[in-house]
Amino acid sequence: MALTYSLIIFFAAAIITAGAYFANKKITFLPLLRKIIALGIVPIAFYRYLVEHEAVMWIRGLNMTLIPGYEIPFGDEVHLTIIAIFLIWFTWAALLSVILNEFFKIDTLANIVKFFSVPIFLLDILLFEIYATGIIGKGAMNSGDPRLICITVELILALSLGLSSVLTENTKLPNRDATLRMLKSLPFAILAIIPCYVPQALIGYLDQSVKIEDFTEAHRLVLYFSIIIPFLIFHALKDKTYEVKRFAMIYMTLGLMWSYLAYWQIDQFSSIKSWPLHLCNTAMFIIPLCLIFKWDKLFNFCLFINVMGAFLAMTMPNTDTAVNALAFERVNYWINHYPAFFMPVLLISLKLFKRPKFKEWIYSQVAFACYFVLVLFLNAWFGDTDFFFLNGDFIVDKLGDWAEAIKDIEWHVELMGRTMVFYPLYQFLFYLVYVAISAGMWFLYALLFEIWDKAEDRRLRERDYKKMEKDFKEFLGERSIDKPLSGDGSPSLVLKEFSKKYGANKHYSVDHASFNVKGGEIFGFLGPNGAGKSTIIKSIVGIQTITSGNIEVCGFDVEKQSVQAKLNLGFVPDHYALYENLTGREYINYVADLYSVSREERDESIERMVTRFQLQGAFDNQMKTYSHGMKQKIAIMAALVHNPKVWILDEPLTGLDPTSIHEVKECMKEHAAKGNIVFFSSHIIDVVEKICDKIAIIRKGKIRAAASLKELEARKMDLEQFYLDIISAEEGAPLVSIDGDDILGITVSDKVGGDEA
């Protein structure tokens, strides 16, 4: 008989697999059909699982029965008992993996299906009699039990899905890294769905003196592990993608729910009195639903209500004291309450749900009020139920005589021929205390989130630092950090395909900008407002990050050798920010200290610039007393005190009087005459035309033109008109170079725009 079932399963699965393989690219709705088949396995497995308890559930210690008079499926053949237990357990994991594989395209899951699920199903077929006997009991093959049909259909559908997914999507062998990921994930997949009777069946009962209650040593040990395990799960998943984390948590919650359901049977659901309406029972079903359907608001009920209830249940277990520490009832109790305790917090830590705000706590209280009223009514209606301990004495016994006295106050209501009994004062106080504790949970979460944020920020910074350190060592190779990436350290400014994009913005503020500035040049950077001038300047000086491309200052990479690059830079921003409680002298000396300028050099430089900018009378006063123009002069002095090879100015002449403008222009000429670079942006075309050697024009984030001022003058071209022509040109107009090929870094062979304006 077993051979007949095995052959039916094997050939039916082979036919379906072959059909799926050949129809793979011909039937467009095949993926949807596969999902429907995967979901179709669920009610079959559910019925087979809950219509009657699995036979191995009653085994204790492999060779004895839990219930006197109950017949052990395999008698004294312990090896068959072990095989059956592991086959049933591993088949649960294999079924769940195959079903979820149709909804999540994750390489590790696909490899688990390939190397674990399919082999387990083949073992089930090969050892069908052992597998079926472990589920149904002795004589399973001749029993005519409908579960035999369910097992057969399950294996046909599951094996078909597994084999066809391997043949159509996963035929290649995984590489070493993928294999290691699978081997690390597989124990998690198996343990997450362990049947609640496995410890009892394989190990047997512990000494009856071992109690997991009343804070005994064993109880405390379990509570300690309940704190440690979520941290292990978090660290295993923290750096994974959102989809991988969501899949792992869905798998885990469904696996735990399936293990928990082993305690139930279908006929129990026929009466509402037997429904799992205790607070922590609800969490077993709510959490998977919240994950699968992304129900954020319902999730907050679990976070603020279930977590607290589960914690109280873990510290004050209400199982029968006679139940052994490894009995399936005891294990089932912890499978029920433990995930309800840690899972909601873990899901927020993994960022699968947003952290709640105060209004979410309010929503959770509304949901709790509805739940409380429901179970209050059901308890009173049936009389013999005790959902949420609102009718029984479990809580009262722990509180003492005063609680008993409060509970003695009763309120009788006649409704539809029933006498409903309420305990108004006790139940009202019960509700208020729970709400108060829930409010405390809100404040506790807020504190924990703050602590967590700091720890997580530190972890991420350390991780990023290690990555940067590794990348930096690879970048440098054998070079010293103080050695330029290119050239000999002489004045130069080079942009290579530099691009900048802010945040999630799809559009680039600067798009593949390239130009070169050489020593001894005063370089003008022109463009309308919003064209990208300040973005480029701020990236050169290191204020903003680089999205792509490279910037080099005197041969040093701005991103990788930022300190060395900045030591060669002087920067005058368009909006200065000074320490205005310092005097001008104190501030300039402070900047000189940052650049390690010697006392002799700084004194000479300060004296010269104070005289040039006519600041003698105010230089030793606090800068908050200065006018806008005086502060601008201080910003210029601070940029020049260390005699930078590259002096960058962003709209430097704004707010200066004519005399000061003249002095600044003279400073520019003198600085360039020493072989240094002066790079500045300005809207004042006349100034640019008089003092610049070369210019570049940017429009809408792209460099559109470059020119030598001497060549413009030789061709009798007006700079202002040249600028206006470039700015008003059509979007796709070619790049224009007026003797500016060296600026743009282009050669005759790749030149685009020629020499026409």
Side-chain angles (χ1 to χ4, degrees):
M1 182 64 79
L3 179 60
T4 302
Y5 277 104
S6 296
L7 291 174
I8 290 171
I9 295 168
F10 182 80
F11 283 110
I15 292 169
I16 296 173
T17 300
Y21 176 76
F22 288 111
N24 182 43
K25 294 182 179 178
K26 297 178 181 178
I27 301 178
T28 55
F29 60 86
L30 188 61
L32 176 61
L33 181 60
R34 293 177 64 92
K35 288 182 172 68
I36 292 171
I37 293 172
L39 292 176
I41 295 173
V42 175
I44 299 169
F46 185 84
Y47 172 80
R48 185 268 296 173
Y49 185 44
L50 295 185
V51 71
E52 195 173 333
H53 292 305
E54 292 173 338
V56 291
M57 184 172 180
W58 308 111
I59 294 173
R60 173 157 62 93
L62 295 177
N63 58 356
M64 63 181 294
T65 180
L66 185 65
I67 299 177
Y70 184 85
E71 193 173 12
I72 296 176
F74 303 99
D76 294 332
E77 296 181 271
V78 173
H79 66 287
L80 296 182
T81 300
I82 295 173
I83 292 171
I85 290 170
F86 278 100
L87 273 181
I88 293 169
W89 176 9
F90 286 10
T91 301
W92 286 8
L95 277 171
L96 187 55
S97 299
V98 163
I99 292 169
L100 291 180
N101 187 50
E102 297 303 320
F103 298 89
F104 293 90
K105 296 306 174 186
I106 297 170
D107 291 342
T108 301
L109 176 60
N111 287 327
I112 287 175
V113 169
K114 181 177 183 177
F115 294 104
F116 173 75
S117 298
V118 170
I120 289 295
F121 296 145
L122 293 174
L123 269 177
D124 289 338
I125 297 172
L126 185 64
L127 305 173
F128 187 80
E129 185 171 358
I130 298 174
Y131 177 58
T133 301
I135 294 171
I136 298 171
K138 197 168 184 179
M141 292 295 99
N142 301 311
S143 64
D145 194 304
R147 286 181 289 173
L148 269 176
I149 304 301
C150 292
I151 294 169
T152 302
V153 176
E154 272 178 43
L155 289 176
I156 290 172
L157 297 179
L159 182 57
S160 302
L161 287 176
L163 280 175
S164 58
S165 69
V166 171
L167 292 175
T168 57
E169 301 173 4
N170 195 18
T171 54
K172 294 181 180 179
L173 288 174
N175 59 28
R176 181 176 176 275
D177 290 340
T179 303
L180 287 175
R181 285 195 298 271
M182 180 192 69
L183 293 176
K184 289 177 182 177
S185 302
L186 190 54
F188 167 85
I190 294 171
L191 286 173
I193 198 170
I194 182 172
C196 59
Y197 55 76
V198 166
Q200 160 196 290
L202 294 179
I203 301 170
Y205 280 0
L206 298 180
D207 189 286
Q208 204 60 33
S209 62
V210 178
K211 300 291 184 184
I212 307 181
E213 55 193 13
D214 299 330
F215 294 103
T216 60
E217 184 177 347
H219 189 197
R220 293 198 306 273
L221 193 62
V222 170
L223 292 176
Y224 297 152
F225 272 101
S226 69
I227 303 297
I228 295 170
I229 291 174
F231 278 95
L232 297 178
I233 297 172
F234 171 78
H235 282 289
L237 295 174
K238 63 187 178 184
D239 295 323
K240 305 296 183 184
T241 63
Y242 171 85
E243 195 68 2
V244 169
K245 289 188 285 190
R246 181 166 171 261
F247 155 72
M249 291 297 96
I250 287 176
Y251 184 101
M252 187 175 185
T253 54
L254 288 176
L256 291 167
M257 183 186 75
W258 194 251
S259 300
Y260 166 70
L261 284 173
Y263 191 72
W264 298 79
Q265 286 186 276
I266 287 178
D267 57 6
Q268 290 178 272
F269 291 91
S270 62
S271 171
I272 196 172
K273 293 196 292 184
S274 302
W275 286 12
L277 290 177
H278 272 294
L279 192 60
C280 294
N281 297 159
T282 63
M284 299 304 299
F285 305 95
I286 292 176
I287 294 176
L289 289 173
C290 290
L291 272 167
I292 292 169
F293 298 106
K294 301 181 180 180
W295 290 343
D296 293 357
K297 291 183 179 178
L298 184 58
F299 171 77
N300 290 311
F301 176 82
C302 298
L303 181 65
F304 288 106
I305 307 301
N306 285 124
V307 170
M308 179 173 55
F311 176 73
L312 293 173
M314 289 166 60
T315 55
M316 299 182 293
N318 66 320
T319 50
D320 190 336
T321 56
V323 176
N324 192 269
L326 283 188
F328 77 85
E329 298 100 319
R330 180 76 66 176
V331 175
N332 185 273
Y333 180 87
W334 284 91
I335 286 176
N336 175 202
H337 293 87
Y338 182 39
F341 162 64
F342 79 81
M343 190 62 71
V345 180
L346 180 61
L347 294 178
I348 286 183
S349 301
L350 291 172
K351 298 181 180 178
L352 294 175
F353 289 97
K354 293 180 180 179
R355 291 183 181 176
K357 298 180 180 178
F358 185 71
K359 68 177 181 180
E360 274 76 35
W361 179 81
I362 297 295
Y363 295 150
S364 74
Q365 296 309 302
V366 172
F368 175 62
C370 295
Y371 168 79
F372 192 87
V373 171
L374 173 65
V375 295
L376 199 68
F377 176 81
L378 291 176
N379 285 335
W381 180 261
F382 293 113
D384 57 348
T385 58
D386 189 24
F387 296 129
F388 201 33
F389 306 111
L390 292 179
N391 274 22
D393 294 328
F394 177 72
I395 301 295
V396 171
D397 291 342
K398 297 184 180 300
L399 297 177
D401 295 339
W402 66 272
E404 292 181 10
I406 291 173
K407 192 170 182 291
D408 287 340
I409 301 172
E410 298 180 359
W411 179 31
H412 296 261
V413 177
E414 295 292 333
L415 181 65
M416 298 176 64
R418 291 176 182 259
T419 301
M420 301 172 64
V421 181
F422 295 93
Y423 308 96
L425 184 57
Y426 168 73
Q427 290 167 343
F428 179 67
L429 290 176
F430 192 113
Y431 175 78
L432 287 183
V433 169
Y434 211 88
V435 170
I437 297 175
S438 177
M441 292 284 289
W442 160 255
F443 290 108
L444 178 62
Y445 281 143
L447 178 62
L448 289 175
F449 289 151
E450 183 179 352
I451 295 171
W452 185 272
D453 281 344
K454 291 179 180 177
E456 184 69 359
D457 180 63
R458 184 167 58 251
R459 182 188 74 83
L460 291 175
R461 277 190 285 144
E462 288 176 356
R463 184 196 67 184
D464 292 344
Y465 176 77
K466 288 178 181 177
K467 184 179 183 302
M468 288 169 58
E469 188 177 34
K470 179 184 176 183
D471 293 345
F472 187 57
K473 286 180 179 178
E474 292 176 359
F475 167 77
L476 285 177
E478 299 300 321
R479 284 195 312 272
S480 164
I481 190 174
D482 295 317
K483 185 177 179 181
L485 184 64
S486 60
D488 57 2
S490 57
S492 66
L493 174 61
V494 180
L495 268 71
K496 299 177 182 176
E497 298 293 318
F498 165 75
S499 297
K500 176 65 183 178
K501 182 169 62 174
Y502 291 97
N505 197 327
K506 295 181 180 179
H507 302 288
Y508 284 90
S509 297
V510 177
D511 188 7
H512 293 84
S514 297
F515 59 76
N516 304 314
V517 185
K518 300 174 183 176
E521 294 178 348
I522 301 179
F523 192 90
F525 196 36
L526 304 176
N529 290 332
K533 300 189 302 297
S534 292
T535 295
I536 287 179
I537 287 174
K538 288 174 181 176
S539 296
I540 292 171
V541 300
I543 293 175
Q544 292 182 159
T545 57
I546 296 171
T547 301
S548 64
N550 298 92
I551 301 176
E552 292 180 13
V553 173
C554 300
F556 293 101
D557 187 282
V558 165
E559 195 171 29
K560 300 289 195 309
Q561 298 169 288
S562 58
V563 174
Q564 288 70 24
K566 288 173 184 177
L567 286 171
N568 290 284
L569 283 170
F571 176 45
V572 180
D574 53 346
H575 298 290
Y576 51 77
L578 307 174
Y579 300 132
E580 297 193 2
N581 284 330
L582 298 179
T583 66
R585 188 180 301 279
E586 289 170 340
Y587 180 72
I588 299 302
N589 275 299
Y590 164 70
V591 174
D593 287 337
L594 292 177
Y595 287 96
S596 302
V597 181
S598 67
R599 175 60 59 181
E600 182 180 349
E601 289 177 353
R602 79 175 67 178
D603 286 346
E604 188 276 328
S605 178
I606 288 172
E607 185 64 31
R608 184 182 70 256
M609 288 189 291
V610 166
T611 302
R612 164 165 268 167
F613 291 120
Q614 301 176 4
L615 289 172
Q616 297 93 329
F619 196 53
D620 290 306
N621 297 335
Q622 286 183 315
M623 289 185 290
K624 62 185 177 183
T625 64
Y626 290 5
S627 65
H628 169 76
M630 293 168 71
K631 291 175 182 177
Q632 184 78 349
K633 294 174 185 178
I634 292 293
I636 292 169
M637 291 174 64
L640 288 175
V641 69
H642 58 293
N643 192 30
K645 294 179 181 178
V646 179
W647 183 21
I648 296 178
L649 305 95
D650 193 0
E651 298 290 348
L653 305 180
T654 305
L656 295 180
D657 57 71
T659 304
S660 298
I661 290 174
H662 172 75
E663 294 299 336
V664 171
K665 290 192 291 185
E666 290 301 309
C667 280
M668 291 181 179
K669 294 175 183 177
E670 291 175 11
H671 199 70
K674 296 176 184 177
N676 299 311
I677 290 173
V678 177
F679 180 96
F680 79 103
S681 69
S682 178
H683 288 117
I684 308 174
I685 300 291
D686 291 344
V687 173
V688 173
E689 193 168 27
K690 288 178 181 177
I691 68 170
C692 286
D693 301 303
K694 296 178 179 179
I695 62 153
I697 299 174
I698 185 171
R699 187 187 73 170
K700 294 184 179 180
K702 294 185 177 182
I703 303 296
R704 301 308 312 148
S708 161
L709 270 295
K710 286 184 179 179
E711 184 62 24
L712 282 176
E713 186 178 355
R715 297 189 185 193
K716 297 183 179 180
M717 297 175 67
D718 179 63
L719 176 59
E720 184 174 22
Q721 189 59 49
F722 177 71
Y723 170 80
L724 292 173
D725 290 342
I726 296 299
I727 296 304
S728 59
E730 294 181 0
E731 189 70 28
L735 186 65
V736 176
S737 173
I738 305 297
D739 196 27
D741 290 3
D742 59 332
I743 301 171
L744 299 171
I746 57 177
T747 61
V748 175
S749 60
D750 59 12
K751 189 172 175 184
V752 210
D755 283 339
E756 296 93 18

